[in-house]
Amino acid sequence: MFPQLPASVRVFLCTKPTDMRKSFDGLLGMVREYLGQDPLSGHLFLFLNRRRDRVKILLWEPDGLVIWYKRLESGTFQKLDPPAHAGCSSGPAGLELTATDLTLLLTGIDVTTAQRRKRYARAS
């Protein structure tokens, strides 16, 4: 499974279907164009194909870019749209997720129907 993420890392999902033949440079362009983010920020950027059975995650480490790629043998990843999800929007085709949402998405649990228990949250 994916490694533990520091609290400072943000997770962005591109809601536009992605051609999985894209590699580093193609995904960098999508981060800038569709998510409106800096791809070298150290945050995670998720891309799903049209059938939603493959996901690529792009991240910047101190010495270079990394792509993490997963193909499902059966089933699909959940489709999340900005209006249907409580997360923040990012760019024209982006959605910000929490680290918990990322884990739920990758393990096949429906993010929109998962019940969250009440927890303390500092007033902003």
Side-chain angles (χ1 to χ4, degrees):
M1 187 39 52
F2 210 70
Q4 183 70 22
L5 298 175
S8 61
V9 173
R10 295 168 66 191
V11 179
F12 297 96
L13 170 68
C14 183
T15 56
K16 180 177 173 24
T18 303
D19 180 353
M20 286 294 134
R21 294 174 292 182
K22 288 187 185 286
S23 190
F24 295 100
D25 295 329
L27 295 176
L28 283 174
M30 289 187 71
V31 168
R32 289 186 180 110
E33 182 178 352
Y34 298 118
L35 302 178
Q37 298 291 323
D38 175 18
L40 307 181
S41 63
H43 302 310
L44 294 178
F45 303 99
L46 278 75
F47 303 92
L48 296 169
N49 64 338
R50 187 169 307 282
R51 290 182 300 190
R52 296 187 333 271
D53 64 345
R54 296 163 196 245
V55 64
K56 278 190 178 181
I57 301 177
L58 179 72
L59 65 135
W60 171 259
E61 290 187 340
D63 57 351
L65 287 165
V66 175
I67 293 178
W68 188 80
Y69 189 26
K70 182 174 183 175
R71 180 188 74 189
L72 296 176
E73 293 301 317
S74 66
T76 60
F77 292 105
Q78 181 180 0
K79 181 176 183 173
L80 295 174
D81 292 320
H85 188 67
C88 302
S89 219
S90 170
L95 182 64
E96 185 170 353
L97 304 176
T98 65
T100 302
D101 290 340
L102 171 63
T103 303
L104 294 175
L105 183 73
L106 293 177
T107 56
I109 298 171
D110 188 341
V111 176
T112 56
T113 60
Q115 295 285 326
R116 296 183 196 269
R117 308 274 308 162
K118 183 179 177 182
R119 294 289 186 260
Y120 169 78
R122 181 181 292 185
S124 44

